[in-house]
Amino acid sequence: MTPAYDKYLNIFEDYLNKTLKVLIKDVPNPLDKAMVYAVTDGGKRVRPVLCLAVADYLGVDVNFVLNYALAIELIHSYSLVHDDLPAMDNDDYRRGKLSTHKKFGEANGILTGDALLNLAFECCYLKDEISKNEYNAIKLIAEYAGSKGMIAGQVLDLINEKKEDVSKEILYSIYENKTAKLITLPLLVASAISGNKYFEQLKEIGFNLGIMFQITDDIMDVEGSLSSIGKTPNKDAQSGKLTSIKIFGFDGAKKVAKQHYEKCKAILETIPNCSFLNEFIDLMYNRKK
């Protein structure tokens, strides 16, 4: 990671550790432990770092958006807990450790995801007063994480699992909703709170970055190991999941990822002096874990 990335990461981790302790104070055991387990000790914090960095670039105090960055990360964490469940991807490992349901049991895995999602919206209302811009940001969080966003992508993923005759359009619909929307969301939340500065450009960057990110995940699933990617390798092929590699082939997927990378960089040329996003996109394109 870069010094700039580490700066925003450290700000977020400090806030997460301090705030989570307060928010789960009265949560019964073992749910409290499972919630902490699912959120801490792992992950690149891509989404909260994006939220803080873009807010900072747009002239918004990072402290003003920390609760929204936390809300997005809690939603992301809940989605991973549920994604690993036997009824979904059925994965025993996440971020290099046992997945939440393997550590605490399947029922607690379901409840942990439910609790984290509800806690996310509690985080959105930690302030006594909510501005119009913040209201718009919270509405985006609900929309992009919900049944017309991330959850829609998960449903489409399940419907098309193991199908052989699936189009590129269906794959993109899955990837846009399941992955790209939660990567676009922190960009748009920061923009909404700033008064919608560069909203459309950031939305387009988020789409292309999200597709690139997911295709890179597909590639790492083939090339990586448990120690490098933190979860079971070759799981997609073993499960018969619809992936970019299934549609484009291994080399083809790499070419498509590069196309989306180049689109991100081209759109960034319309946003002046946004060095962090330039560095960030390079990091995500070249990542190996």
Side-chain angles (χ1 to χ4, degrees):
M1 298 303 178
T2 66
Y5 192 107
D6 289 341
K7 179 184 81 170
Y8 296 116
L9 176 62
N10 291 333
I11 291 170
F12 177 74
E13 289 289 355
D14 287 345
Y15 181 76
L16 165 66
N17 293 328
K18 176 183 67 177
T19 307
L20 193 59
K21 286 179 184 176
V22 175
L23 291 174
I24 67 166
K25 184 176 61 175
D26 298 321
V27 174
N29 183 48
L31 182 60
D32 57 345
K33 290 183 175 59
M35 291 170 74
V36 171
Y37 183 85
V39 176
T40 57
D41 298 328
K44 295 175 286 295
R45 309 300 190 203
V46 164
R47 294 150 193 83
V49 165
L50 273 176
C51 190
L52 299 185
V54 173
D56 199 13
Y57 168 75
L58 296 175
V60 178
D61 186 338
V62 294
N63 293 306
F64 194 77
V65 297
L66 273 167
N67 62 317
Y68 302 113
L70 178 54
I72 294 168
E73 185 67 2
L74 291 174
I75 289 170
H76 174 58
S77 296
Y78 117 75
S79 75
L80 299 182
V81 172
H82 279 187
D83 211 35
D84 290 335
L85 288 167
M88 299 280 282
D89 279 357
N90 191 25
D91 209 317
D92 292 350
Y93 294 95
R94 173 69 65 176
R95 294 170 173 170
K97 61 183 184 179
L98 285 174
S99 48
T100 303
H101 77 276
K102 293 300 291 185
K103 178 80 172 176
F104 295 93
E106 186 176 347
N108 282 322
I110 294 168
L111 294 171
T112 298
D114 294 344
L116 291 173
L117 174 58
N118 282 278
L119 190 64
F121 285 98
E122 190 176 333
C123 285
C124 290
Y125 294 96
L126 289 176
K127 299 171 186 173
D128 292 332
E129 294 183 8
I130 304 292
S131 68
K132 175 78 181 303
N133 287 349
E134 289 176 280
Y135 168 81
N136 291 336
I138 295 168
K139 189 176 179 182
L140 282 167
I141 292 172
E143 177 187 342
Y144 274 59
S147 56
K148 297 176 185 176
M150 180 192 68
I151 294 173
Q154 290 174 321
V155 170
L156 290 169
D157 192 22
L158 289 170
I159 289 171
N160 290 284
E161 196 172 53
K162 296 183 173 63
K163 285 186 179 179
E164 295 299 328
D165 56 340
V166 180
S167 66
K168 171 187 170 182
E169 288 70 28
I170 290 175
L171 178 76
Y172 266 66
S173 184
I174 294 168
Y175 281 14
E176 178 182 6
N177 286 287
K178 188 175 180 180
T179 304
K181 285 202 171 171
L182 272 200
I183 288 178
T184 306
L185 180 58
L187 305 177
L188 298 189
V189 164
S191 175
I193 291 173
S194 78
N196 289 336
K197 291 178 185 175
Y198 300 113
F199 188 92
E200 291 304 323
Q201 292 101 314
L202 290 168
K203 186 176 181 180
E204 192 65 21
I205 287 170
F207 168 78
N208 284 284
L209 177 58
I211 300 294
M212 182 197 82
F213 189 93
Q214 183 57 61
I215 294 174
T216 304
D217 257 11
D218 296 344
I219 293 165
M220 291 191 303
D221 183 70
V222 174
E223 292 184 325
S225 62
L226 176 59
S227 60
S228 66
I229 63 175
K231 56 185 180 179
T232 308
N234 293 307
K235 192 80 188 333
D236 293 341
Q238 292 167 13
S239 305
K241 290 188 73 67
L242 175 64
T243 68
S244 60
I245 292 170
K246 195 171 184 178
I247 297 292
F248 302 116
F250 188 75
D251 291 337
K254 286 189 171 184
K255 288 178 183 176
V256 175
K258 185 177 182 182
Q259 289 168 6
H260 287 286
Y261 165 77
E262 290 171 346
K263 285 179 183 176
C264 286
K265 302 292 272 191
I267 300 163
L268 264 178
E269 291 179 5
T270 69
I271 304 178
N273 304 316
C274 195
S275 59
F276 179 85
L277 273 181
N278 262 304
E279 292 176 355
F280 182 89
I281 289 163
D282 289 344
L283 278 172
M284 294 302 107
Y285 179 63
N286 293 306
R287 70 194 175 99
K288 300 298 179 186
K289 61 181 182 178

